[in-house]
């Protein structure tokens, strides 16, 4: 029966992190409310804006991904207060980075499309689906950057500032996380430019003019796939910033090769007798876009865990 008492003894710690999760989610919601041009509650409840709901869902899922990843490696074992401090600090930093990534995605990944107008005025589900996938993809490598304890290897002598070891450790982790976030975000931007070059239709026209949900879903799947692949280097055993940087570049190069191959694999195997260009561009077949997204995400996950 010792395992029962051990289970009961851990309930207090579990409850503390559960409550902290609610708090982080609430803070994330409030920060999102403050950064949006209109009142979210009115748009969702009174205006029934499904495009905004889809985009917002990606953000909320991203916040939870951040928290789950961070809480899985809180810090020093047995120090509940220290763990709560580090988890809350990294979680809030992660939420801020996620909001920043959304602004970057809106401006650079969408490529000249006014996301605010498309979501709030046109209620464009195609653009919303891209924001949904892009935000979750960003949360993958933000969470990976915030997960782990590599500060001692990067700054073996510390920062030399007059703060407690716990606070210094948190500051070091935050600095490293911002560096990795920046690299991952640049990788996503480069990939989005590359994706538009080889995809067999004009993506901007499909998203903005035709509001093609099939094209938006397929692009969202590609962004999720690149997000998964970019986290591989950050979850490996850390040796140095130089090594991790090289691994990130290699994984980005791998993604540039693998994702187009998976696209054509979906075209050949999943949709025999037709093409993704026909189904997505001409027929606006949401099922085809969804199937492509599923193939890209599934095989990227296989590479992440198995290769």
């Amino acid at each position: 029966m010792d395992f029962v008492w051990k289970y009961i003894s851990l309930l207090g710690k579990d409850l503390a992190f559960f409550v902290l999760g609610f708090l982080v989610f609430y803070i994330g919601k409030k920060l999102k409310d403050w950064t949006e041009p209109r009142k979210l509650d009115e748009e969702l409840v009174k205006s029934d804006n499904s495009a905004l709901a889809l985009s917002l869902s990606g953000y909320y899922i991203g916040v939870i991904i951040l928290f789950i990843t961070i809480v899985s490696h809180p810090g020093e074992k047995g120090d509940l207060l220290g763990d709560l401090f580090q988890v809350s600090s990294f979680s809030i930093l992660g939420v801020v980075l996620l909001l920043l990534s959304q602004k970057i995605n809106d401006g650079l990944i969408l490529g000249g499309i006014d996301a605010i107008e498309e979501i709030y005025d046109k209620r464009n589900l195609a653009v919303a689906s891209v924001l949904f996938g892009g935000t979750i993809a960003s949360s993958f490598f933000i969470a990976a950057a915030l997960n782990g304890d590599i500060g001692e290897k990067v700054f073996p002598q510390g920062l030399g500032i007059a703060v407690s070891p716990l606070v210094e450790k948190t500051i070091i982790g935050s600095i490293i996380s911002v560096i990795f976030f920046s690299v991952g975000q640049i990788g996503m931007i480069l990939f989005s430019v590359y994706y538009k070059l080889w995809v067999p239709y004009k993506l901007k026209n499909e998203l903005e003019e035709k509001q093609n949900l099939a094209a938006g879903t397929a692009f969202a799947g590609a962004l999720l796939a690149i997000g998964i692949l970019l986290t591989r280097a950050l979850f490996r055993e850390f040796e140095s910033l130089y090594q991790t940087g090289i691994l990130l570049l290699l994984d980005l190069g791998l993604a540039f090769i693998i994702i187009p191959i998976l696209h054509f694999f979906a075209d050949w195997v999943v949709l025999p007798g037709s093409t993704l260009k026909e189904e997505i561009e001409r027929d606006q077949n949401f099922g085809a876009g969804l199937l492509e997204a599923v193939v890209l995400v599934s095989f990227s996950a296989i590479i992440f865990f198995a290769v």
Side-chain angles (χ1 to χ4, degrees):
M1 295 297 291
D2 289 343
F3 67 92
V4 176
W5 292 112
K6 183 178 180 180
Y7 172 83
I8 295 174
S9 67
L10 291 174
L11 282 179
K13 182 178 180 180
D14 294 340
L15 179 61
F17 282 115
F18 186 75
V19 173
L20 180 59
F22 267 106
L23 180 60
V24 169
F25 188 88
Y26 179 77
I27 292 173
K29 179 185 183 304
K30 287 300 181 182
L31 289 175
K32 182 64 174 174
D33 290 344
W34 294 335
T35 57
E36 287 296 302
R38 302 181 191 176
K39 293 183 178 180
L40 295 180
D41 294 340
E42 291 184 1
E43 286 290 322
L44 293 172
V45 177
K46 295 182 179 180
S47 300
D48 298 332
N49 191 333
S50 298
L52 177 61
L54 179 58
S55 173
L56 195 59
S57 296
Y59 170 74
Y60 287 151
I61 292 173
V63 171
I64 296 302
I65 289 173
L66 290 172
F67 183 78
I68 291 174
T69 307
I70 295 167
V71 83
S72 66
H73 189 88
E76 297 296 333
K77 302 298 183 182
D79 183 6
L80 178 58
L81 292 179
D83 287 349
L84 289 171
F85 175 78
Q86 279 203 304
V87 170
S88 58
S89 299
F90 286 148
S91 296
I92 299 304
L93 173 61
V95 169
V96 172
L97 293 177
L98 191 61
L99 287 168
L100 178 59
S101 75
Q102 279 199 316
K103 298 301 180 183
I104 295 173
N105 292 348
D106 291 356
L108 298 177
I109 289 180
L110 284 174
I113 297 176
D114 188 340
I116 299 299
E117 179 184 0
E118 296 298 324
I119 295 297
Y120 283 97
D121 297 328
K122 298 182 179 179
R123 303 187 181 187
N124 188 334
L125 287 172
V127 170
S129 65
V130 175
L131 297 180
F132 175 89
T135 303
I136 296 177
S138 295
S139 75
F140 288 156
F141 60 77
I142 294 173
L146 290 165
N147 181 51
D149 185 15
I150 61 178
E152 293 180 359
K153 294 183 178 180
V154 180
F155 297 98
Q157 306 301 322
L159 297 176
I161 55 179
V163 295
S164 69
L166 178 61
V167 173
E168 183 179 53
K169 182 179 178 181
T170 304
I171 293 173
I172 290 174
S174 300
I175 293 171
I176 296 171
S177 300
V178 170
I179 294 172
F180 286 154
F181 159 75
S182 301
V183 174
Q185 195 66 55
I186 291 171
M188 276 191 64
I189 294 169
L190 292 175
F191 174 78
S192 67
V193 174
Y194 172 68
Y195 180 88
K196 295 167 189 175
L197 293 176
W198 58 262
V199 74
Y201 42 79
K202 292 183 179 180
L203 185 61
K204 186 175 185 296
N205 291 341
E206 297 298 321
L207 296 177
E208 186 177 31
E209 297 179 12
K210 297 168 66 174
Q211 298 192 19
N212 188 339
L213 182 57
T217 303
F219 188 28
L223 292 175
L224 286 169
I226 188 67
I228 292 170
L229 293 175
L230 283 175
T231 61
R232 292 175 76 240
L234 300 181
F235 272 114
R236 292 189 180 99
E237 183 67 26
F238 181 84
E239 295 295 336
S240 67
L241 285 175
Y242 173 78
Q243 177 182 341
T244 300
I246 295 298
L247 291 174
L248 275 169
L249 290 175
L250 291 173
D251 283 338
L252 182 61
L254 177 65
F256 273 45
I257 297 171
I258 290 295
I259 292 179
I261 291 175
L262 292 175
H263 168 87
F264 292 111
F265 172 80
D267 201 347
W268 174 52
V269 175
V270 180
L271 294 173
S274 184
T275 66
L276 285 171
K277 176 178 173 60
E278 293 175 348
E279 295 299 322
I280 291 178
E281 181 183 25
R282 185 191 65 190
D283 299 339
Q284 298 190 30
N285 185 341
F286 170 72
L290 181 61
L291 286 172
E292 180 182 357
V294 168
V295 169
L296 294 179
V297 172
S298 299
F299 282 90
S300 296
I302 290 174
I303 293 171
F304 178 89
F305 287 105
V307 178

